[in-house]
Amino acid sequence: MGVELLTVILLFCILIFFAIGAPVGLALGGIAMLVGYFTWGDGIFNVIPTTVESTYFSFILLAIPLYIYMGQLLTHSGIGDAMFSASQMIIGKIRGSLAISVVFICSMIGAMVGIIGAGIMSSGSIALRPMLEAGYDRKLALGTIMAGGALGILIPPSIPMIMFAASTQNSVGRMFLGAMVPALVTILLLITYIIISTKLKPEKAPLLSENLDLPELTGKEKIRIARDGFFAIGLIFVVLGSIISGIATPTESGALGVAGALLLAIFFKRFKLDMFRAVGMQTAILVSVAMWIILGASVFSNFHLLMGIQGMIADFTHGLDLPPIMIIIMFQIIMLFLGFIIDEFIIVLMCAPLFTPIAVSLGYDPIWFGVLMIINILIAVQTPPYGFALFYLKGIAPSDVGMGEIYKSVTPFILVNFVVLVICMLFPELVLWLPDKVMG
């Protein structure tokens, strides 16, 4: 049986399993083993132990549970609220200030959690209620939550970036550095959109003084809010700085982040036994789900590679006789469609080992291609009608918000992300300048 027919069978089976709601990791791994058994016989089962060894014994992937644990500690202990309050105090009572604060703080919370779904859920639980109580337009509030929470996978430390680096044998530090300028550009463009849209339609974002009777903060309260926010945001920079400076590996910096989050919770007198138990349970659930997905996707990816899919794709792309940049655009379109049906973990684990070597053979830097992949996934999982993250947003939205309203709320923010993707494709130095400057 040819690799082309096997690929069609695999993709058809995946669509059926996803349509019936089968667990993602089990579906991917099970399909690969089933098709492999009928193709190669018992020998296919040797893929499982080798995949387990190469996947679960990876020192880099040990960072995933640590970053998830750090994020859960920061959000459950209320330190995310401290960041929100500090940001709001700094920005002031200008029109749209709450939405601007949400973009900044939700980006940081998303970065703490490191995955899109948990980033949106955590951000929404903190920021949605204050925006709605202040009289903000619901579409602006929901779109801002989505944009900020999902942006966490583009802001280091990002778990999909760690997965990309691990699956393509690239530097995690260079990936983190490469994403920082695009992330900053995205945040600035999102804030610019909020300022312009609320200027044109003031009713979308009333001044806080118009709808809320806000008490004037005393000097002591301002100092306390600034202190709490400074320490919370400072922890993120310590974690990133330890990686970039070479003091710690991504895994070691994750452990540093967990220790720092625990110390902050104790320092802020927010550490409680019930909170500690809830954090551990939520982390265990998220890590268990992530590990099963990683195993299933890795088995699927390894079987696909053994079939010769990489050679097939290389032959296909060379046979098209297209300019190299058109091949890169074709890869972006494929990943965009994948984002409609699967989450960011699986897209990285399925596409990175297949597409990255081809991009490198065409003369492109793997870090540049990896950052493009992360931005593309950021767009794909938010794109109507079936973007994976839309259903997370529906979960935290008021009960009377329909999917149609959610689609309208996220559209302008998706367009902003698309602009960033195009800019990074046209100007690769935006991605490569910082890692080349810092790490050579």
Side-chain angles (χ1 to χ4, degrees):
M1 191 181 296
V3 64
E4 295 86 357
L5 181 57
L6 277 174
T7 300
V8 172
I9 292 173
L10 284 171
L11 294 178
F12 180 71
C13 291
I14 286 173
L15 291 175
I16 292 176
F17 271 68
F18 285 170
I20 63 177
V24 172
L26 180 62
L28 289 171
I31 289 168
M33 289 298 98
L34 185 64
V35 174
Y37 178 74
F38 286 111
T39 306
W40 294 343
D42 294 346
I44 188 61
F45 296 115
N46 293 327
V47 171
I48 295 178
T50 56
T51 302
V52 169
E53 182 180 3
S54 63
T55 302
Y56 287 168
F57 290 84
S58 169
F59 185 66
I60 291 177
L61 289 184
L62 184 59
I64 292 176
L66 292 171
Y67 285 128
I68 291 177
Y69 192 40
M70 179 183 73
Q72 292 299 315
L73 277 170
L74 290 171
T75 51
H76 278 75
S77 64
I79 296 174
D81 289 312
M83 296 169 64
F84 187 77
S85 299
S87 173
Q88 182 58 35
M89 186 181 71
I90 293 170
I91 294 172
K93 299 176 183 179
I94 62 172
R95 194 175 299 278
S97 62
L98 263 177
I100 295 170
S101 295
V102 165
V103 168
F104 177 66
I105 297 305
C106 288
S107 300
M108 294 296 101
I109 293 172
M112 294 175 199
V113 179
I115 53 178
I116 286 177
I120 292 170
M121 300 292 282
S122 301
S123 303
S125 63
I126 292 172
L128 183 59
R129 180 180 51 80
M131 295 180 76
L132 296 179
E133 287 179 352
Y136 273 55
D137 177 73
R138 289 203 304 191
K139 289 194 285 292
L140 176 64
L142 291 168
T144 304
I145 295 291
M146 171 72 91
L151 192 58
I153 69 162
L154 188 59
I155 300 174
S158 159
I159 290 172
M161 285 188 206
I162 296 172
M163 290 180 169
F164 176 89
S167 62
T168 61
Q169 303 300 308
N170 278 288
S171 165
V172 177
R174 286 183 67 84
M175 274 295 294
F176 284 176
L177 286 168
M180 290 182 77
V181 173
L184 180 60
V185 171
T186 305
I187 291 172
L188 291 175
L189 288 179
L190 290 172
I191 291 173
T192 301
Y193 165 74
I194 291 170
I195 292 172
I196 293 174
S197 64
T198 54
K199 188 80 172 176
L200 295 175
K201 293 184 178 180
E203 67 275 9
K204 292 174 69 174
L207 291 170
L208 297 188
S209 56
E210 295 174 357
N211 284 33
L212 294 177
D213 184 19
L214 296 175
E216 190 67 31
L217 293 174
T218 65
K220 187 176 181 180
E221 288 172 330
K222 288 181 179 179
I223 292 173
R224 179 184 57 80
I225 291 173
R227 179 205 66 186
D228 292 359
F230 172 79
F231 278 111
I233 295 173
L235 176 62
I236 299 173
F237 286 101
V238 167
V239 171
L240 293 181
S242 65
I243 298 171
I244 294 168
S245 63
I247 296 173
T249 66
T251 303
E252 291 165 347
S253 70
L256 180 65
V258 169
L262 278 170
L263 288 174
L264 286 179
I266 295 169
F267 179 70
F268 291 160
K269 297 181 180 178
R270 291 170 174 168
F271 183 87
K272 296 178 181 177
L273 192 57
D274 289 342
M275 179 273 292
F276 190 60
R277 268 198 296 260
V279 166
M281 184 61 67
Q282 189 64 30
T283 301
I285 292 170
L286 290 172
V287 171
S288 299
V289 171
M291 289 297 105
W292 275 111
I293 290 174
I294 290 170
L295 177 61
S298 297
V299 168
F300 181 88
S301 177
N302 287 343
F303 172 59
H304 226 172
L305 290 171
L306 289 171
M307 282 168 37
I309 185 66
Q310 192 170 312
M312 186 195 81
I313 293 175
D315 293 340
F316 175 73
T317 53
H318 289 308
L320 291 174
D321 198 25
L322 293 172
I325 192 63
M326 293 304 297
I327 302 296
I328 299 298
I329 292 173
M330 184 178 70
F331 288 164
Q332 304 303 313
I333 294 171
I334 292 171
M335 289 185 289
L336 184 66
F337 282 111
L338 285 176
F340 293 166
I341 56 173
I342 54 181
D343 67 17
E344 67 269 27
F345 287 172
I346 309 163
I347 299 175
V348 171
L349 291 169
M350 286 177 62
C351 295
L354 297 178
F355 293 166
T356 307
I358 296 171
V360 172
S361 72
L362 294 172
Y364 294 108
D365 189 286
I367 299 301
W368 172 77
F369 183 75
V371 172
L372 288 188
M373 178 179 286
I374 298 299
I375 300 173
N376 185 289
I377 293 170
L378 177 64
I379 296 169
V381 297
Q382 300 179 73
T383 303
Y386 302 118
F388 211 74
L390 295 168
F391 302 102
Y392 289 115
L393 187 61
K394 180 70 171 73
I396 56 117
S399 57
D400 59 335
V401 173
M403 288 305 296
E405 189 172 356
I406 287 178
Y407 294 161
K408 292 176 183 177
S409 72
V410 301
T411 300
F413 296 94
I414 292 172
L415 293 176
V416 169
N417 290 326
F418 183 75
V419 168
V420 176
L421 177 64
V422 173
I423 290 173
C424 290
M425 290 182 69
L426 294 175
F427 304 101
E429 56 271 18
L430 276 178
V431 176
L432 300 176
W433 173 78
L434 192 58
D436 288 345
K437 191 78 172 176
V438 174
M439 302 183 73

